[in-house]
Structures are given as structure tokens and as C-alpha cells.
Amino acid sequence: MAKNEKLRVRVKCKGVVPDSTAGGPSTVSKVTSKGKTVISQKDSCPFAIQISRSTEEEQWLVKTVIDEHLCLQSRNVKACTSRYLASTILQKVDSDPRIPVTALQEELQMDLELSISRMKVFRAKSIAKEQLYGDYERQYNLLRDYCLELQTNNPGTTVKLEVCNEPNPDVEFGFGCIMQLHFCIRQTKAKVFPNAEHRWCLRHIHENMKLQWRGEEFRDHLWRCATNTTIRHFERAMNEFKDFSAEAHEWLSKIPPVHWARSHFTGRAHSDCLLNNLCEVFNSKLEHGRDKPIITCLEYIRVNLMKRHCIVQKEIDKCKSILTPTATTILDTIKTAASKYKALFCGSGKYQVTGMMFDQYVVNLKEGTCSCRYWEITRIVCRHGVCAIWEHIQNGEKAQQPEYWVHPCYKLETWRAMYSNKIDPINGRSMWPKSRCPTTLIPPTHHTQVGRTKKKRRRAIDEPTNQSTNLSRKFLTVTCSKCHNKGHNSRTCKGQGGSSQRAVGGSSQGGVGLSSKDAVGGTSQGSVGGSSEVVVGGLRAKKMDKGKKPQVQKVGPK
């Protein structure tokens, strides 16, 4: 601004005007006038705006406007701050919070025609997120209002908020803080659910095993031991594992099989799942919401659950069978395998089911059990039970199809009843009821670690770190191309394997079917630093020093 007063304001462009005679942009030059060198100001940009007003109470009036630019365009503007960019990209960040900073940078440079650094765009995105999601501490103050809104729009909802009444010594204001609760699964299970089973994820057991024993053979033995449903088959698989590796067998025997082997499951859970997939799927849905402030994170979970209920309800409406789609697929596979068995009625509702290779089990239809224990563990009819049910129906007995022998937890009506209660939407913050609690909630003490926050999961010891198609050379032993020994390459070779010279045909030391000297089908004599003679098929070739041609002469009988 050339002039900035209370009644008059004049704005003038200070851009660089190119000099057509000199060929370069310059506004200041030195000229000679009357024998003296003086500084001459060349023509500046004519763009100017002048506004004024008679008194401070009146409106501003534009008096002069020269809308003509002769200066060069500048791509660096001081008014383009990170806060200005944050207001520009606010809607884009709201629609896609995971949009990359590089994509925002390229789009802003094309729209504004300015040079914008990546860090400025990063700061602008952080400011936009703070405006959208709210301040970290402010959301703790609104936590009680959020709980009241949930209870108002979702009748019957129970919200429990645990707080610590003592003030936080590390924070200057506030009367209470959220108490972090750390539950021990074993102690909680023993007190609250004493009869519940506690299973361990077999994949995590395998990850611990891979720290000492890696390979597909160890993995196959582990899964063979875990998937067997009877004690006899489990013991047989453990003995095979012991013959394969006694140390790995001893390590696995220290883990109680009641936590990871199907043969020791009681069947109270009606599931033979060996992995922690239920929790892993839920954690994968929270990946993009767990780093948000507390109310934003809770809303992210609630919205995902609300959408999931609607999606599952659509799938339920499409189903027409008695069982759920997953249970129907499992039972169809069991029916296909049951057609290869034969059932023999033994009285009292018991059947002897026989297959190939002395595969024989006892099925009790009255108790709904089979000696293979699959029916007892999962409460889904096994292939031996399906064969016995078919034989029972064929004999003229009044019995229903195998679908009706499955536990009610796998039926479609149970699935429909589970998702009958929906999660209702809630209003925005401006319409939340105000809590009458006089205390103020403040966040718990949190120490920010040095460096960038790690968001990626920890990879396994043998899992590739990159996503490329090339195989990793990790855990591979290199072979030297000179001495053919393992453990080093040709660059670091120090003659560990002997001479690096090769030969073909004959005996060798440090070579393959060769003499250690350069001989092909004959003998050789040589010297160091001079010439050497090599006999090849009756011809004697004399090796000379570097730069000289070898002399060849015929040897043998004339």
C-alpha cells in the first residue's frame, strides 16, 4: 500500500517490469548525467487503486482504478498462508480425510497458479482437520453432552463413564480426568465369566514359533495338531511333530492344548475357530478412526456399526433358506463328503458309520454326538451324522432333514433377531443437551513420543517389507563366483576357497574336474610374471606377458 490512512488508501503494484531494450527484468539502472553517475528508476507497473471517504462513518468510494499490469507474474504471494489454504481445502478434507498432501498440493497449484510448498499444504491440512474434528481437549469437555444425546435418541442405551475425581497435576485447569482402564483378560474371565473358554490365536502362536523354527513344514505340523478333533489324533500328530523336530515339539508342549487345539475344546462356544479374526476385522475398520479425538473416534465407530446393520439387514432379506449363508455353505460341503460313507443301525439310536481306509465312527442321534467330536464342538452335523440321518430316514423313521439338526444359533431366524435392533442417528453438537454436572472433564496425561507416529502394523519376521514383485534376499546365503564358497561374494573374496582359476577336464583342487593349473585335456607348466606353456591336443601354446602374442608350435612325432 502506497498510502494507508483513515480517509484515503492507495494501492500500487510493485512488480518487476521487463526491459525490452536490455532484455532483462529490471526497475533500477545506473546512467551518466553531466559527468555524474546517478540511479534512474525505470517505468513501474501502472496498476493502481485509490479509495477514499469524507468521514470515518461513511462508506469507502473508489476514486481511481488503473486495471493494467505490465509486470511479470510472481508465483510467490505472501497472502497465501496456510490458514487461507485451510479455508480453501476444508470441504475436500471433509469429504476425504485421507487425501494425500501431494494431491492437495498439485490441485492448489493448478487452481491458484502459485508456487506452494509441501509443508505449507501439510500445515493447511492439519488446520482444516482441527476445524472439522474439534480440539482434542474441547471434545473431552463435551463428552457428557454426547452421552446425553446418545441416550435421548437411542432409548434403552446404557452409557457408563468412568472418571477420576482427583485433579490432574499435569494440567493447570479442570477437576477430573478420564481414567484409563487396563483389563487383564485372565483375571476378568475368572471373576466375571468363570465357565468361559479362553482360546489363543494359532497365528500368533505360529509367529512366536517362527522366531526359532521357520518353514512350511513347521507350520503344517502345527496346524495338523490344532485341527484334529479327537485326543487320539492329536497325540498321533504331536508324535509326528516330535519325530520331525524334538525341540519344536518340546516348545509347543509347554502351551496348554486347551487354549489352541480343537481336540481339547469343550463345545460350549459352538465354534471351532482357531484364529482371532473377529477382533482383527473389527480393528481393521477402526484403522482410520483411532487416531482422531475421542468424540470423533466414537462417532466413527457408531457410524460404521449403523451402516453395517443396514447392510446385513439387506442380506438377511435376500436369504430364503433355513440356515445362514455361511452355515448353508458349510453344511453343503459336509453333505458332499457324507455321500462316501455307509451307516449301519445298531439300536438305541446309535449308528456305525464306515468310510474308506478303516475310517469308522459311532453316531448317537438321540444325544446328537459323534465320536469324531466335530458335531459336539461346532453343533453343526458332521458328515458321519448326516450319513446316519439319511439312513434313519431311509429306514422309514420320522426324522427331519440335516438342516433341522443344526443348533439354533446358525439359523436364519436367530440371525434376523440379532439385527432387529437398529442404531438410531443423532443430532449435531449445536443441538446436544447440556449436562448439569458442575465438574469439567479434561483429557488424561499423554506424552507425545519423539518422531512420526507409527500407524502401520508390525510385520512378521519373514514377511516382506516392500510390496514389490521381486523376492527378498533376506535369509539367503550368497555364493562367491570366484571360490564357490558360501558366506561372501566375489567383491569381499580373500581366497578362502583357493585358486580362482578354472579348468575343464582332468583332476582339480578348488575346481570342478580340473587341475589347479590352466590345462584342457593335458598338462601345463607356468611361471609367475613370465611366460607359460599350455599343451592342448598336441599343440603347445606359449603364453607371453601382457601385450605380446602367444607362439604356437606343434609337438609330438613329426
Side-chain angles (χ1 to χ4, degrees):
M1 290 185 180
K3 183 176 291 186
N4 186 8
E5 299 177 356
K6 293 183 179 181
L7 302 179
R8 292 181 298 177
V9 175
R10 181 177 178 83
V11 179
K12 189 172 180 59
C13 179
K14 294 183 179 180
V16 178
V17 178
D19 187 2
S20 59
T21 59
S26 177
T27 59
V28 179
S29 63
K30 294 182 179 181
V31 296
T32 304
S33 177
K34 297 181 180 181
K36 297 181 180 180
T37 303
V38 296
I39 298 177
S40 175
Q41 185 76 21
K42 291 186 178 181
D43 294 338
S44 59
C45 183
F47 178 85
I49 297 177
Q50 182 177 356
I51 60 177
S52 63
R53 57 184 177 178
S54 301
T55 59
E56 296 182 4
E57 290 78 12
E58 295 183 359
Q59 299 284 339
W60 288 95
L61 298 178
V62 179
K63 296 297 184 66
T64 305
V65 175
I66 304 177
D67 192 7
E68 182 183 2
H69 277 284
L70 299 179
C71 58
L72 297 176
Q73 183 182 9
S74 176
R75 296 184 62 86
N76 295 322
V77 179
K78 294 182 179 180
C80 183
T81 60
S82 58
R83 292 195 175 275
Y84 170 76
L85 296 178
S87 61
T88 306
I89 64 175
L90 192 63
Q91 187 175 0
K92 298 177 183 178
V93 176
D94 188 17
S95 59
D96 186 11
R98 291 174 289 172
I99 184 172
V101 177
T102 307
L104 285 174
Q105 180 186 11
E106 295 177 356
E107 191 171 353
L108 288 173
Q109 287 179 350
M110 293 178 61
D111 295 343
L112 302 178
E113 299 181 0
L114 298 175
S115 296
I116 305 173
S117 64
R118 186 180 180 277
M119 287 305 301
K120 183 180 288 187
V121 179
F122 176 79
R123 292 192 298 269
K125 185 180 178 181
S126 301
I127 295 173
K129 281 187 174 181
E130 184 178 346
Q131 294 177 3
L132 290 172
Y133 304 139
D135 189 32
Y136 175 76
E137 296 180 357
R138 184 169 175 268
Q139 289 202 9
Y140 276 90
N141 299 334
L142 300 174
L143 198 55
R144 286 196 176 97
D145 301 343
Y146 176 72
C147 296
L148 293 176
E149 178 66 19
L150 287 176
Q151 292 177 327
T152 303
N153 290 274
N154 293 268
T157 302
T158 302
V159 180
K160 188 175 293 186
L161 187 63
E162 295 266 351
V163 297
C164 180
N165 295 325
E166 297 181 0
N168 195 337
D170 297 334
V171 183
E172 297 180 356
F173 55 89
F175 302 93
C177 64
I178 301 297
M179 184 175 62
Q180 298 179 349
L181 302 179
H182 302 277
F183 295 100
C184 180
I185 296 179
R186 294 184 181 179
Q187 297 178 359
T188 305
K189 181 183 72 68
K191 295 180 180 179
V192 183
F193 306 105
N195 297 326
E197 292 185 358
H198 183 202
R199 299 181 184 178
W200 296 353
C201 181
L202 193 65
R203 179 182 174 273
H204 291 84
I205 295 178
H206 183 223
E207 293 294 332
N208 295 334
M209 177 184 288
K210 285 194 298 186
L211 298 176
Q212 303 182 37
W213 305 282
R214 290 186 293 269
E216 295 183 357
E217 295 84 359
F218 291 95
R219 181 197 62 189
D220 295 341
H221 278 285
L222 175 63
W223 276 91
R224 196 176 298 116
C225 296
T227 53
N228 285 318
T229 56
T230 61
I231 301 295
R232 296 294 179 85
H233 290 86
F234 171 78
E235 293 176 351
R236 188 182 307 166
M238 290 293 288
N239 292 332
E240 293 177 358
F241 193 22
K242 184 177 181 180
D243 298 337
F244 177 75
S245 176
E247 296 179 355
H249 172 268
E250 183 181 359
W251 178 86
L252 185 61
S253 300
K254 296 179 181 179
I255 304 176
V258 69
H259 298 306
W260 60 275
R262 290 176 180 171
S263 57
H264 292 72
F265 291 170
T266 61
R268 290 175 54 88
H270 301 342
S271 174
D272 61 345
C273 185
L274 299 173
L275 302 176
N276 195 25
N277 286 343
L278 293 176
C279 295
E280 296 297 339
V281 170
F282 183 72
N283 289 335
S284 64
K285 298 298 181 181
L286 305 181
E287 180 180 0
H288 303 294
R290 56 191 176 189
D291 59 340
K292 305 292 188 300
I294 182 168
I295 294 181
T296 307
C297 179
L298 293 175
E299 275 295 285
Y300 186 89
I301 299 173
R302 189 189 63 83
V303 170
N304 273 275
L305 293 177
M306 185 171 58
K307 293 190 296 185
R308 175 174 171 79
H309 277 225
C310 297
I311 294 173
V312 174
Q313 187 62 47
K314 292 180 180 180
E315 295 296 327
I316 293 174
D317 296 338
K318 296 178 183 179
C319 297
K320 303 298 181 182
S321 59
I322 301 174
L323 304 178
T324 61
T326 304
T328 302
T329 304
I330 296 174
L331 190 60
D332 290 343
T333 306
I334 291 174
K335 288 180 180 179
T336 304
S339 60
K340 302 178 182 179
Y341 287 84
K342 295 181 180 180
L344 178 63
F345 182 63
C346 304
S348 301
K350 294 183 180 181
Y351 286 84
Q352 178 179 301
V353 182
T354 307
M356 299 178 63
M357 301 297 295
F358 305 102
D359 189 14
Q360 185 171 302
Y361 296 91
V362 178
V363 177
N364 191 339
L365 294 181
K366 289 186 177 181
E367 298 180 359
T369 58
C370 178
S371 56
C372 72
R373 295 192 71 250
Y374 179 83
W375 194 353
E376 180 183 350
I377 295 173
T378 62
R379 305 313 300 170
I380 298 178
V381 188
C382 61
R383 47 191 168 182
H384 316 107
V386 171
C387 182
I389 292 172
W390 286 345
E391 182 68 21
H392 193 68
I393 296 174
Q394 189 176 0
N395 291 336
E397 300 291 340
K398 294 182 179 180
Q400 294 177 332
Q401 293 297 326
E403 286 80 4
Y404 293 93
W405 293 76
V406 179
H407 194 271
C409 66
Y410 296 100
K411 294 188 176 181
L412 185 63
E413 295 298 329
T414 307
W415 194 26
R416 182 179 287 108
M418 289 176 58
Y419 286 89
S420 60
N421 298 322
K422 301 298 185 294
I423 300 177
D424 295 331
I426 64 174
N427 298 315
R429 294 187 187 179
S430 59
M431 300 184 64
W432 287 357
K434 298 299 180 181
S435 176
R436 297 181 179 180
C437 185
T439 59
T440 303
L441 294 178
I442 60 175
T445 55
H446 175 69
H447 175 69
T448 304
Q449 300 293 334
V450 180
R452 178 179 292 182
T453 306
K454 295 182 179 179
K455 296 184 179 180
K456 295 184 178 180
R457 64 177 178 84
R458 296 181 181 178
R459 296 184 178 270
I461 187 173
D462 58 345
E463 189 175 359
T465 56
N466 54 358
Q467 301 296 331
S468 61
T469 57
N470 299 330
L471 294 177
S472 175
R473 299 182 64 182
K474 194 175 182 180
F475 305 114
L476 296 180
T477 304
V478 297
T479 304
C480 180
S481 60
K482 290 183 178 180
C483 64
H484 302 285
N485 285 345
K486 295 183 180 298
H488 66 279
N489 54 16
S490 59
R491 180 176 297 180
T492 59
C493 181
K494 297 181 180 179
Q496 295 93 328
S499 175
S500 62
Q501 296 176 341
R502 301 182 180 180
V504 181
S507 61
S508 67
Q509 296 179 0
V512 182
L514 289 176
S515 173
S516 61
K517 303 176 182 179
D518 294 336
V520 183
T523 61
S524 68
Q525 298 177 357
S527 59
V528 180
S531 63
S532 62
E533 294 182 355
V534 182
V535 179
V536 183
L539 295 178
R540 175 177 295 168
K542 190 173 184 181
K543 293 183 179 179
M544 306 300 293
D545 293 336
K546 186 176 181 181
K548 297 181 180 181
K549 297 182 178 179
Q551 299 178 2
V552 181
Q553 60 181 357
K554 191 172 182 180
V555 296
K558 296 183 180 178

